[in-house]
Amino acid sequence: MRAVEPGRCGECWDACPRLSAGEPFDFACAGCGDCCRQRRDLVLSGFDLYRIARRLRLSPRIVAAAFCKSYIAPESCLPALRLTPDPKTGNCRFFEGSACAIHAARPLACALYPLGQSIDTETAAVEYYVQTPLCGARTGEARTLRDYLNDAAVTERAGIDARWAVVCTRLSQRLQAAGGQENPRFAAAARRIERALYYEYSLGDEFYPQFCQNIEILQPLLDRML
């Protein structure tokens, strides 16, 4: 089983060319900002939210309340957060002038662009595919996909993103095995999962140890709730 980057379906993933780390990839951002305009599909992971919260020096819950919409994803039955667009422009809330105001803490989907990502939730192996058309420039330099991922700081967070996908897949399976939204305790369980995945983090401590602790605490609670 694989977890595809939010906003992409499995059929889209199958139709996209995949790249290995050593393959040539000389794409360079042209700075047009088109990937920040009219975006309504940016789904955040807990790590995305944590990084933005740390950048803004606000709690994850406050950032989510101010900039995101919380909902239950129909396919997974999991609580999810989508970054809401600016109500006046329809652009990303953090797109100011012609640049990203939180560039160092931008979400994974933004750091990857124009790539998509697929994670095997059994092995945690990560694959990358190219979304076309490419809006940027081709540098003509002898650069590889690995170079691009390193420059975008995707490589250094890949382990956390893979673990997030694995944990979310298992939580989804657990909810669905318990009857999903038909379970009378579903709403309470979903709220508790949302807290563990997104909100119960101290910005003074690193994300991953807290995430692991949150999930360890969550498991026996779900046993009793479901």
Side-chain angles (χ1 to χ4, degrees):
M1 183 178 294
R2 64 175 180 263
V4 180
E5 176 200 349
R8 302 287 296 189
C9 65
E11 288 77 9
C12 293
W13 181 90
D14 290 332
C16 290
R18 274 156 276 176
L19 291 175
S20 63
E23 287 190 67
F25 189 69
D26 64 346
F27 173 87
C29 176
C32 65
D34 283 353
C35 58
C36 304
R37 295 187 175 92
Q38 302 301 309
R39 293 300 299 270
R40 292 174 171 82
D41 59 344
L42 288 176
V43 179
L44 304 183
S45 70
F47 189 41
D48 288 330
L49 180 64
Y50 168 88
R51 283 163 49 84
I52 295 172
R54 214 174 191 186
R55 172 70 175 79
L56 299 178
R57 298 182 181 180
L58 298 170
S59 74
R61 191 177 289 277
I62 289 175
V63 172
F67 302 111
C68 301
K69 175 180 174 58
S70 174
Y71 65 102
I72 299 297
E75 291 186 1
S76 68
C77 289
L78 285 177
L81 288 179
R82 185 174 67 245
L83 198 61
T84 57
D86 185 293
K88 294 182 179 179
T89 65
N91 299 336
C92 174
R93 297 288 191 98
F94 301 110
F95 185 56
E96 298 181 2
S98 59
C100 175
I102 58 165
H103 189 265
R106 64 198 186 281
L108 176 63
C110 303
L112 280 170
Y113 193 85
L115 300 169
Q117 182 190 74
S118 173
I119 299 171
D120 187 310
T121 56
E122 297 296 330
T123 66
V126 182
E127 288 189 305
Y128 298 95
Y129 55 87
V130 181
Q131 303 179 86
T132 55
L134 300 180
C135 62
R138 309 311 294 258
T139 66
E141 299 177 5
R143 291 175 53 77
T144 64
L145 174 63
R146 182 182 294 108
D147 295 327
Y148 187 83
L149 296 175
N150 287 341
D151 288 348
V154 171
T155 305
E156 65 188 47
R157 60 173 291 174
I160 295 177
D161 294 322
R163 181 61 181 163
W164 170 269
V166 170
V167 167
C168 286
T169 297
R170 291 175 181 171
L171 288 173
S172 171
Q173 292 170 342
R174 191 166 189 179
L175 285 174
Q176 294 184 64
Q181 297 191 56
E182 299 302 316
N183 187 303
R185 303 293 301 278
F186 173 82
R191 286 194 297 271
R192 189 62 187 83
I193 291 172
E194 185 175 28
R195 286 168 53 194
L197 291 180
Y198 295 102
Y199 303 136
E200 295 186 340
Y201 296 93
S202 168
L203 300 182
D205 298 318
E206 293 303 313
F207 173 85
Y208 188 66
Q210 296 182 84
F211 173 63
C212 292
Q213 183 177 33
N214 286 354
I215 299 306
E216 184 177 353
I217 294 170
L218 177 66
Q219 301 292 359
L221 291 178
L222 292 181
D223 287 341
R224 294 195 294 270
M225 297 178 76
L226 298 174

